[in-house]
Amino acid sequence: MIEDILNTFEYIIQLKEKNIKTWEDIFPSFYNLVKNNISEITEIGALEDIKKILAYVKPLKLLPEDRREQRLKGLKESIRELKEKYLIDEITERPEKELALFTDIKYIKHVGTKRAELLKRLNISSLYDFFYFPPRDYEDRRKVTKIFSAKENEKGVIIGKVINYEELKINEGLIILNFSVADDTGVIIVTFFNQGYVKSYLKKGVKAAFYGKIEFSYGLKQMKSPDFQILEKEEDFKKEILPIYPLTTGLFQTTMRNIAKEVIKQTFFLEDFIPDEFLKEFNMLSLKKRLKGLHFPLSLYHKDRALCSLKYEEAILFEIAILYVKLKVKETKRVEQKDIEGKLSQKFIESLNFKLTDAQKRCYEEIKRDLMSPYPMNRLLQGDVGSGKTVVSELAIVDVCEAGYQVAVMVPTSVLAKQQFQRISKDLTSLGLKVELLIGETKENEKISIKERLKLGQIDVVIGTHAIIQQDVEFKKLGFIVIDEQHRFGVNQRLELIKKGTHPDILVMTATPIPRTLAMTFYGDLDVSLIDEMPKGRKPIKTILVSQANQNSLYEFVQQELKQGNQAFFIYPLIEESETLDLKNATDMYEKLKETFKEYNVGLLHGRFSASEKNDVMDKFFNKEYNILVATSVVEVGIDVPDATVIVIEHPDRFGLSQLHQLRGRVGRSKKQSYCFLVIDEKMNYETKQKLSAFAKTKDGFKVAEIDLKWRGPGKFFGLEQHGIPEFKFLDLSEDILIIENSRKKAENFLENPLALEHSEKLKKELKFKYRNSLELINVL
Ligand code: ADP
Ligand code: MG
């Protein structure tokens, strides 16, 4: 096969490029390998091309080094050209009718209303959807294997004649059909279960090709339920790579392939919408070639190039769209600019009992510049747990209030809202600002009063959950929205806010450090400020793996800490005993720990508590009425208790690493040394222990997040669905960092020309079509 031959050449070049010393010794055998296999080339014209190359490299060993280098360069170039020429193709036959992209799939040959329903389950409703429906794998049917050399567990094609047949009735429900199939090297048993109909095809003497996995049983080679094709002549067998699609009940692989064959014909009419400069820079295949290669690649090379090109297509379109949104938001000039004097924030800085870190100062400056600019801010403040994001946001809040505007702080839960309220009102009231809390449990008459005063402009800062602020609250002059600890709050929701107010500034803060790829996608429309420095004097938290067996010494350690007036968390994955999971739970352990730590007060907190119960418990822990807090992962976000120095996490394998990092961040929030204990039990597998000890060594939340993303994938990293971000079909956010980064850079560059999109009619059309349901503002295009 020419693909093998070209790969061999490429391998030779690689050896040389990597300076593998034995290159010279190996070269002749490669040369001969190619020469001996030249008869396998069937592609028209290819034989001549390969012969030319062989002649070109034959004297390679004898040439001086510089000329040798030159020839190798030439060889590399030729190989690339030949790959493009022989290993990649596109549809060249013009179909009778051109169909629109959004043509209902039911009108495609082999589909119809019934199958169209089934295809809907695979999210295919139109021709366009099928174009971009990725197979889950491919079958390489280009090589016919001789029975004699067929290897166990390998998938392949056998061509042979049916020489015998037997039917075994095992019981009422199971009939086994065994066909003996022979080629000129041996015999293989082809077995079918309860598929009586194959008898009428595979008659004695019939020639057929079988595709399946070779198994060995009792000394015989066997294929179970293979795909087969009856052949008149051996040459009738079509050597090709076939797609394997994800299926749904009632849809068969053969049907899907037949539909795909029809669908792909239509690519004849497609024109690429990706601008040339992108295609060139990323060595992408043209649209026709990438879609042909996705479904019916001519070679494995074609398949790889197509998949890579489609990843780029996805990344480029997305980055252009999101950057375009970003630009559009920036373009909406506000009516009135904020006049910030900075006296109040200066007073606030002086009141702090610590010095801001340089990173905090820098981020604050970046934010302040945005606040004063004529364009609304849309910024993300990133920083590891405990890096001091809240103070930075408070500074900005103070500035905005000073300029005569109101501020809304939105957090995901009422526990957090209460805590933020306590902190922010303590800090800001002394500066003469009026801060209020508005959450679900706020008394009805108070709610009315707060809303009234907000409308009149008598409240400067309101803190609450999203729900409340999004609903029916009116402001006199809302100028700034802080969205804290919330990664579910996606592009569209943010745009909603922008549209609602008079272009308020928006600052998003996340407690979970986000890996770069996710930041470029989920927060791709935002500018980013990064606090990459921890406050001085903080002692890094010691993370220690302890085995279940050492529980007593662990408890003794906790006892020592409590004695010094410190506090401890005990975290469990479950609220109550579970019938299916053999895990410790918070409720039972609460009782046990009360016994163990008799002289101390123990509190319990979990997700089934009502909001006011939760608040009550947190207050008591915060005020040191409780020394120990037994909890589930509800304490995960943002809660700040300075004297908590120990967190014991049982069954840590039940939590994601980012979640563990968040939990760990609940301690170490003062100058005291803090500890995080991960309790390991014997049943835990080696890999998990490795992962946890890697976590223990990693203090940097961004690194943890990256490890976590690799392990769990972006879907679980955080709920993507509510994010307003289209799902990616080809990109893997944990792997394709470079593709996303490159595309973003290039897209930024592309959009620097304000007319770039205007000049790319096709690209514009594609963006509108692709994101019509998922990205707002794209409709402004
Ligand atoms: P984050 O929200 O980033 O997790 P916080 O803003 O809650 O962190 O800050 C964590 C703790 O560190 C708070 O108690 C805060 O008062 C304190 N802190 C913030 N900045 C500094 C600093 N520059 N120096 C010392 N302590 C700081
Ligand atoms: Mg915080």
Side-chain angles (χ1 to χ4, degrees), residues 141-147 156-162 181-186 188 206-211 223 229-231 233-239:
R141 296 189 175 189
R142 292 172 304 165
K143 251 185 230 168
V144 177
T145 314
K146 290 292 177 193
I147 294 173
V157 181
I158 298 277
I159 295 184
K161 228 181 220 165
V162 179
V181 172
D183 66 6
D184 49 10
T185 68
I188 188 166
V206 160
K207 194 168 224 187
F210 300 88
Y211 180 88
M223 256 190 197
Q229 182 191 342
I230 307 291
L231 302 172
K233 304 186 291 295
E234 185 155 344
E235 296 80 64
D236 290 348
F237 176 66
K238 192 145 186 251
K239 295 183 176 177

Side-chain angles (χ1 to χ4, degrees), residues 354-355 357 360 386-391 423 535 538 640 669:
F354 51 77
K355 267 211 171 96
T357 61
Q360 281 173 317
S387 60
K389 295 182 287 287
T390 307
V391 190
R423 184 163 159 191
R538 283 273 171 79
D640 191 9
R669 299 178 80 84

